[in-house]
């Protein structure tokens, strides 16, 4: 049964384009550590961590605490709060479940695992954009070849790779726009 599902998936050329795109994006995922070379990353990730620390979902109630940390609207901080909390939980358990003060000190000394996890989430969003590009092009152009070329061009685009490797708001925004476009095309049919 599993073989009947995997055969068409493995044989699909778009699968290999997505695998190739994943390899290209994971290649430089740790670039810049331990420094913060991209100013957007601390705003989103530290914003989510500050929400956990203060036990709040409304940054406006703690404006002084969030003033230097979260200078963007909090939507992406909410996204990373939901997606990175399990990563923190698993890391805490794999660290031997030390007292929270000890874990907080250890985390403060080396938070790179959380930045890598956030970057991997951004890579996955970039792959989603490539797949949606393939589906939209196949729907609009009615051509498998055109859809594969569009996906391949986006997969090897330096600009798209660069935006997929770091935590910024561009990839989630693109995924939402392409998702809305694909949904509109699906409703049209």
């Amino acid at each position: 049964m599993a073989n009947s599902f995997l055969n068409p998936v493995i044989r699909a050329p778009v699968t290999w384009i997505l695998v190739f795109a994943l390899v290209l994006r994971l290649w430089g995922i740790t670039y810049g550590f331990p420094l913060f070379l991209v100013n957007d990353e601390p705003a989103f990730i530290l914003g989510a961590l500050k929400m956990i620390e203060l036990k709040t979902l409304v940054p406006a109630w703690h404006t002084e605490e969030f003033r230097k940390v979260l200078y963007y609207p909090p939507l992406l901080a909410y996204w990373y709060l939901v997606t990175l909390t399990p990563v923190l939980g698993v890391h805490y358990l794999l660290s031997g479940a030390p007292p929270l003060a000890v874990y907080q000190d250890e985390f403060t000394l080396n938070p790179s695992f959380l930045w890598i996890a956030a970057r991997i989430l951004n890579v996955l969003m970039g792959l989603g954009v490539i797949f949606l590009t393939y589906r939209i092009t196949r729907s609009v152009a009615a051509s498998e070849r055109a859809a594969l070329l569009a996906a391949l061009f986006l997969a090897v685009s330096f600009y798209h790779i660069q935006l997929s490797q770091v935590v910024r708001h561009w990839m989630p925004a693109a995924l939402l726009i392409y998702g809305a476009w694909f949904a509109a095309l699906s409703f049209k049919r």
Side-chain angles (χ1 to χ4, degrees):
M1 176 140 176
N3 193 14
S4 64
F5 170 74
L6 287 179
N7 270 340
V9 172
I10 291 173
R11 290 185 183 179
V14 71
T15 302
W16 294 107
I17 291 172
L18 290 172
V19 168
F20 181 59
L22 178 66
V23 169
L24 286 176
R25 281 152 180 77
L26 289 179
W27 187 357
I29 200 87
T30 59
Y31 177 74
F33 287 141
L35 304 173
F36 299 126
L37 299 179
V38 180
N39 289 337
D40 293 347
E41 286 182 319
F44 297 132
I45 298 170
L46 293 177
L49 291 174
K50 185 61 82 172
M51 288 182 197
I52 292 172
E53 179 186 2
L54 296 177
K55 299 175 185 68
T56 185
L57 292 176
V58 185
W61 292 344
H62 305 276
T63 54
E64 286 306 313
E65 289 89 349
F66 281 95
R67 187 173 310 276
K68 292 182 180 179
V69 175
L70 185 62
Y71 43 84
Y72 282 108
L75 181 62
L76 276 179
Y78 292 141
W79 164 251
Y80 287 112
L81 174 69
V82 170
T83 56
L84 294 179
T85 300
V87 173
L88 269 173
V90 168
H91 187 264
Y92 174 74
L93 292 175
L94 291 176
S95 298
L100 286 178
V102 172
Y103 181 72
Q104 188 175 12
D105 290 342
E106 289 174 4
F107 175 75
T108 303
L109 291 174
N110 185 15
S112 61
F113 77 93
L114 197 63
W115 261 255
I116 291 171
R119 286 181 175 188
I120 288 172
L121 286 170
N122 219 43
V123 165
L124 295 176
M125 286 187 268
L127 294 177
V129 170
I130 294 170
F131 183 72
L132 285 173
T133 299
Y134 165 77
R135 293 294 305 266
I136 290 168
T137 306
R138 194 174 75 177
S139 176
V140 170
S143 167
E144 181 74 14
R145 183 176 181 201
L148 289 171
L149 284 174
L152 183 62
F153 287 152
L154 193 57
V156 298
S157 166
F158 175 75
Y159 189 63
H160 193 267
I161 292 170
Q162 186 261 339
L163 288 177
S164 297
Q165 287 180 331
V166 294
V167 177
R168 301 187 96 174
H169 62 282
W170 299 108
M171 206 46 57
L175 185 64
L176 287 174
I177 291 169
Y178 278 60
W181 190 5
F182 181 70
L185 288 173
S186 298
F187 287 135
K188 179 184 164 194
R189 293 179 187 246

